[in-house]
Amino acid sequence: MKLPSILVLLLMLWHQSHAQTTISGHVKDGANEEALIGAIVSTGVDTTVTDTNGNFHLSVRAFPVTLRVNHLGYQTLTIQMRAPKEITLALEPSSLTLNDVIVTSGSFSRKTLNTPTSIQSINQEMLRRDDPFSVTSALNRTPGVYMHAGTLTTNRITIRGIGSRSLYGTNKIKAYYEDIPLTDGSGNSSIEDIDQEMISRIEITKGPNSSAYGAGLGGAIRLLAPVPSAQQTSAKTSLTMGSFDTHRWMLQGAHHDNKTTVSVVYSDLQRQGFRENSAYSRQQAGVTLKYQLTPQSYFSVLGIFTHLKAFIPSSISEDDFKNNPEKAAFTWKQAKGYEAYDKTLLGLSYHQAFGQDWSLKSTLFLKNRDAYEPRPFNILDEETFTIGTRNTLAKRWENFRFFTGMELFFDEYRWKTFENNYDENSNGSVKGDPLSNNLENRSYFNAFIEAAATLAPNLNATAGLNLNFTHYTLDDQFNEPGNNISGDYAFNPVVSPKLGLTYVTGAHNTLFMNVSHGFSPPSLEETLYPDGQINPDILPESGWNYELGVRGTQRRFTYDLTTYYMQIKNLLVAQRISDDAYVGVNAGLNNHLGVDLLGNYYFVLSDRYTLNAFASVAYMNYHFDEFVNDGNDYSGNELTGVPQWIFNPGVELLSDLGFYGNISGQLVGEIPVNDENSLYAERYFILRAKAGFRYVIGPWELDMNLGANNLSDTKYAAMLLINATGFGGSQPRHYYPGNPRNYFGGVSLKYTFR
């Protein structure tokens, strides 16, 4: 071979070895699709930072190559690429610096640090500090939030005291799964039956700060759907077992590429419970799908299908609570009372962007719940069908953003009651003659508009307005002679404004304030007279909320401190007139003054270990200002059903080697049980712990963990039935005992196909 030929060959080989390929991609928040600006993307040889649209470009000399993506507030993502292609990478929040995580504050997505409202996020890391059976512990670590949990299905969530007077469920708080309302037309919300694996994040807006969510005086809770790991296909299964014959089996399949994101989950949760008549069974299947039609548009589909049967031990008297907490209420045990339902939640969304400035999102949703509940006093047979839509339009300029939209849905609620002819020999409930047959139609319309503007380099303002119409009709189809209770109820349209300001005092510190109005409509049942006729004079609860707060990050310390004041008028009171009859009246004025504090500090123990200390404190000084009910004056008394303070400390260990663990506690102050303040539930402290090991070998990931709840074996009331009345000389049944010391352990196995 001649010398020139050899030189040409050597030159070609040298050029090929030094040729470079460009990798392009996009980095976003995994749950709300917002671009992450300033994310660091590295191959170890070359490093770049994402631009204002979350895009990046990197030069690569050879494949395979490992990409490492970092962004403040998010978990580090590592992914191996075997060929050049354009990729989309979704990051999940870290529990260390939550102020830098993007949340949906009101109508806009922005960092928690820059929001003018009190909003907090619970990510998957925080959910997995506890057992996978419920989200109660995670919610209760959020300052200002208190979730009573009598059983897995008997719950009541309060936010800053709002909803404390609801007897058996959550009311006056809006709840959503993505953009689908979980709140019905009467204001009742249910999130406790959604499996943890169907949740990637929980965002909690406290107080009536979000004009986008309408009739929720206490605030809004938004559950976000699971997000599969970036650029991979995987299958996962897990089994968790615990005390009281509890076991949960879960199976998940997930896929994520540049066009399609899909997650399918099936779970089966069974529990006998430590109390009599408290067995629980739930099977749930869920699917979330997103398909990118064009770079500017995508559609998504979600569905959750639930089959549940839960026996009801009900509340017990003070004597039984102290001496025999495992007992069920006598009549509920004898009737073997339970609730059973099949529930469907379906949603279809379409998102269209117009350039970098305009975006439109439309969601259609359908819900159905078919339920049967034998109770000692009767048997309730009910079905709710809901259809609705939620639409939003947003526009961005350099220093101004605009957002408007509407939410509309219709409930058709059919309910019948029958005699329950159980006795000591019937081995449970026996369906008898019909007692009632009713059809409720409920319509809910919510229109909103919100704008945000940069007034100065460090000063931003947000203003919003919400308009709500709610209407009920009741058709008595039982037609008992002389006792037809058909009628309709509609209150005047309610307009709720809000105004918020943020002032950036440093690179990672913000002072914020807001003023907002909120309301909660009465349920149809609260508008009825004792004879069943509709009372048109019942008014919605409403009030003004004032907040001042500061949040920020100082090196490894993250904090969020808020003080607030709310005055609630037209307080709705449920007066009990028989076993299954309550009458609503507007009885007074409430003052809610409080302080929420959330903070964490993390210690870097070594290159592989991090110790994170976290805590939340809520001081809640809530009093009746003017409260006269049934001839009794309770003005000046403490609000019933809410402690004056809650303290949640904890510490967790995080490790690159796979070890993890945490210890956390909850200290709850005394809780007034009745409006007279003559009876208080005692303060209590419970302690939880969990430890585990995660091991990855090739495409396999194994996770094993053990944990315990109520390590101190404290006897406490996990839920209270306020203002209970004893009948026939018996003691009032105020108390739902909390679980004694109990344990759990689990194992999960995940296989990644690519």
Side-chain angles (χ1 to χ4, degrees), residues 260-413:
T260 306
T261 304
V262 60
S263 173
V264 180
V265 178
Y266 174 79
S267 66
D268 186 344
L269 175 59
Q270 307 286 329
R271 169 178 276 183
Q272 286 301 311
F274 97 97
R275 296 184 63 193
E276 298 173 332
N277 203 61
S278 61
Y280 176 93
S281 173
R282 186 195 71 207
Q283 295 81 39
Q284 187 168 90
V287 58
T288 58
L289 167 69
K290 176 189 169 186
Y291 184 77
Q292 197 80 33
L293 296 169
T294 71
Q296 299 289 317
S297 65
Y298 66 83
F299 76 84
S300 59
V301 179
L302 66 84
I304 302 178
F305 311 92
T306 306
H307 173 73
L308 180 146
K309 183 175 182 179
F311 285 84
I312 301 174
S314 194
S315 54
I316 55 177
S317 67
E318 185 174 14
D319 285 348
D320 285 336
F321 171 68
K322 291 179 177 179
N323 302 309
N324 300 290
E326 72 282 352
K327 288 183 62 176
F330 174 76
T331 53
W332 283 88
K333 178 184 176 182
Q334 195 173 50
K336 294 188 176 180
Y338 65 87
E339 65 171 322
Y341 59 77
D342 292 306
K343 187 159 73 171
T344 299
L345 177 71
L346 294 172
L348 173 65
S349 296
Y350 176 76
H351 182 278
Q352 176 68 57
F354 305 94
Q356 298 294 330
D357 300 327
W358 287 92
S359 64
L360 172 69
K361 187 173 184 180
S362 295
T363 300
L364 297 174
F365 56 86
L366 180 150
K367 300 186 293 180
N368 188 74
R369 181 178 183 270
D370 189 0
Y372 187 78
E373 184 176 346
R375 309 176 290 188
F377 36 84
N378 63 31
I379 295 175
L380 174 64
D381 189 351
E382 58 182 343
E383 182 173 9
T384 306
F385 178 80
T386 304
I387 188 168
T389 181
R390 182 177 172 87
N391 303 277
T392 58
L393 177 68
K395 175 73 168 76
R396 297 189 182 195
W397 290 269
E398 183 177 356
N399 294 314
F400 184 77
R401 289 189 290 175
F402 170 82
F403 186 100
T404 186
M406 58 80 69
E407 179 182 313
L408 171 67
F409 65 82
F410 302 94
D411 279 348
E412 182 182 85
Y413 175 47

Side-chain angles (χ1 to χ4, degrees), residues 439 472-476 484-489 524 533-534:
L439 171 64
Y472 309 126
T473 63
L474 174 61
D475 181 13
D476 182 358
N484 191 308
I485 61 173
S486 299
D488 67 303
Y489 174 82
L524 178 59
Q533 300 297 322
I534 288 180

Side-chain angles (χ1 to χ4, degrees), residues 537-656:
D537 297 324
I538 290 290
L539 298 172
E541 292 184 356
S542 63
W544 285 91
N545 175 66
Y546 307 89
E547 281 187 1
L548 178 65
V550 60
R551 57 170 64 101
T553 301
Q554 298 290 335
R555 300 187 65 185
R556 298 171 185 167
F557 177 59
T558 299
Y559 64 93
D560 192 319
L561 174 65
T562 307
T563 181
Y564 59 90
Y565 173 73
M566 295 178 66
Q567 189 173 69
I568 313 301
K569 65 179 183 179
N570 298 320
L571 178 69
L572 276 164
V573 176
Q575 293 180 339
R576 188 170 189 166
I577 58 175
S578 68
D579 262 355
D580 188 34
Y582 296 85
V583 178
V585 295
N586 291 117
L589 184 70
N590 270 21
N591 289 326
H592 293 225
L593 174 66
V595 178
D596 292 343
L597 173 62
L598 181 69
N600 69 276
Y601 184 90
Y602 68 93
F603 305 82
V604 179
L605 304 179
S606 69
D607 292 341
R608 293 298 184 93
Y609 290 96
T610 300
L611 188 68
N612 182 37
F614 54 89
S616 68
V617 181
Y619 171 70
M620 298 169 285
N621 187 2
Y622 308 150
H623 288 82
F624 300 122
D625 188 353
E626 301 172 3
F627 183 19
V628 179
N629 181 26
D630 200 24
N632 299 307
D633 189 350
Y634 304 123
S635 301
N637 288 0
E638 294 181 53
L639 177 65
T640 321
V642 183
Q644 192 170 75
W645 46 265
I646 300 176
F647 175 49
N648 291 281
V651 61
E652 66 180 340
L653 177 69
L654 306 172
S655 168
D656 288 347

Side-chain angles (χ1 to χ4, degrees), residues 78-92:
T78 302
I79 183 172
Q80 189 174 69
M81 294 189 63
R82 301 185 179 278
K85 62 179 179 179
E86 187 168 336
I87 59 172
T88 298
L89 303 174
L91 302 189
E92 290 302 307

